[in-house]
Amino acid sequence: MKQDKDLMFLASCQNDDLRTLCDILTYNNKGEIRLSEQLTDTDAYLNCYPDKMNLMAAELAEELRKFGSNTVRTICRKGEADSYETIVRRVCKRMGVKVNDCDDTPAMERELLTTICEQTTSKLSDEELDLLCHVTNCQYAVRSLDWYDGHECCQSIFGNGCRTYWMDAPGRLDAE
């Protein structure tokens, strides 16, 4: 199993976060096992789910890469899935997020999350936006996010995941 440098952080995530990721990767929105998933039959899954998820971080990373890859292409490559960076780049392209060829994965993730925040908040009424800010403990409402005004709101909205990003200055990305 090939290690993906962008997914190595999974080993240090909280058990509940990893269990949530595992459930998303293995079950569809109807609660049925996904046809293409390969995780639930592994020894790692049988021994670690649901209480020792960090011990199966490598298997989760591999399943995530397979989940985001083209199934036919993965089969043709003898099971080798796309890198996480390739998957994020493809998602950015499909979402119309502008990224450069030299952008690394955290930069692309930041642009993707910013786009999602902007698209979501632009559709909210003033009352809904105020409620979102209240629920996420955001100090102010913003419709167009830049890293001076929007990072706190994005951090509040996305801050409960496995990997929390925040900006304290333009162009500088830190992982908490």
Side-chain angles (χ1 to χ4, degrees), residues 25 63-70 82 87 90-91 94:
L25 293 173
E63 189 71 17
L64 177 60
R65 290 176 52 228
K66 288 178 181 175
F67 183 83
S69 297
N70 180 298
D82 291 332
I87 295 165
R90 189 178 311 121
V91 170
R94 286 186 185 157

Side-chain angles (χ1 to χ4, degrees), residues 13-16 18-20 22-23 44-56:
C13 289
Q14 297 292 318
N15 191 76
D16 288 345
L18 293 174
R19 188 174 59 233
T20 299
C22 184
D23 290 343
Y45 181 89
L46 297 172
N47 293 324
C48 300
Y49 186 89
D51 297 318
K52 298 181 274 184
M53 300 301 293
N54 62 328
L55 298 178
M56 60 179 287

